[in-house]
Amino acid sequence: SLSTCDLFKVGLGEKVDINPPEIAITSPINGAYATGNVTVTGTVSDDLGVSTVTVYANGQAYPAVIANGTWSVTLPVQSKAGAGTGLPEGKTTISAVAIDQAGKTRTAETVVNVDNAGPFVLLTVPQGYGSAASTYTGYIDFKGETWDPSPISKVEVVVIDSTTKAEIKRKE
């Protein structure tokens, strides 16, 4: 009999998930410079709940820890250039993908500049080294160039006495 059959139910049934989750990367900000391992943090939300947040960088996937609408994960850096699966020296795109309970996804991206190597310094004046070095008296003008992916905030020149190996301090 149709009256005992449960073919149809009246009502809307389960809540339908129409929207994907919301996700944002709050740190590091886009274009930031980073040294050491890079901790990536952000916010995530969804009306029915978030299942996972996975961060992708340099071809690797890193599962994030989710708690109270925030998430975080620490990404390792390569121990030396080209070695290992961590973040390489230089510009890297980091993607964070949120998946909700219904399987819908949304992605956020940021770019980070990893800089774990020291700057390059080229001293061009005064010229001379070792036995061919000149002897200077009075003031010495130094000229050179520096380069680093990160902004260079300060350059210090230290002069060491070749005989005593002591640092020569400028008299004020």
Side-chain angles (χ1 to χ4, degrees), residues 23 52-56 60-64 66 71 73 95-99 108:
I23 186 167
T52 63
V53 171
T54 305
V55 174
Y56 296 89
Q60 298 294 311
Y62 303 92
I66 304 170
W71 58 269
V73 63
S95 301
V97 179
I99 303 175

Side-chain angles (χ1 to χ4, degrees), residues 107-143:
T107 302
E109 288 188 346
T110 191
V111 174
V112 65
N113 297 290
V114 177
D115 185 15
N116 288 315
F120 295 100
V121 177
L122 174 64
L123 184 62
T124 56
V125 172
Q127 295 178 349
Y129 180 74
S131 60
S134 302
T135 302
Y136 294 94
T137 59
Y139 290 98
I140 304 171
D141 287 328
F142 290 94
K143 292 183 184 175

Side-chain angles (χ1 to χ4, degrees), residues 4 28 58 61 80 98 113 117 148:
T4 60
N58 197 34
K80 53 184 172 179
N113 297 290
D148 194 72

Side-chain angles (χ1 to χ4, degrees), residues 42-60:
T43 58
V44 65
S45 64
D46 186 71
D47 57 341
L48 296 180
V50 176
S51 293
T52 63
V53 171
T54 305
V55 174
Y56 296 89
N58 197 34
Q60 298 294 311

Side-chain angles (χ1 to χ4, degrees), residues 70-71 77 82 93 104 113 168:
T70 63
W71 58 269
V77 295
T93 299
K104 292 184 172 35
N113 297 290
I168 300 173

Side-chain angles (χ1 to χ4, degrees), residues 22-43:
E22 296 293 327
I23 186 167
I25 297 173
T26 55
S27 179
I29 61 171
N30 197 43
Y33 288 89
T35 59
N37 293 334
V38 178
T39 298
V40 185
T41 61
T43 58

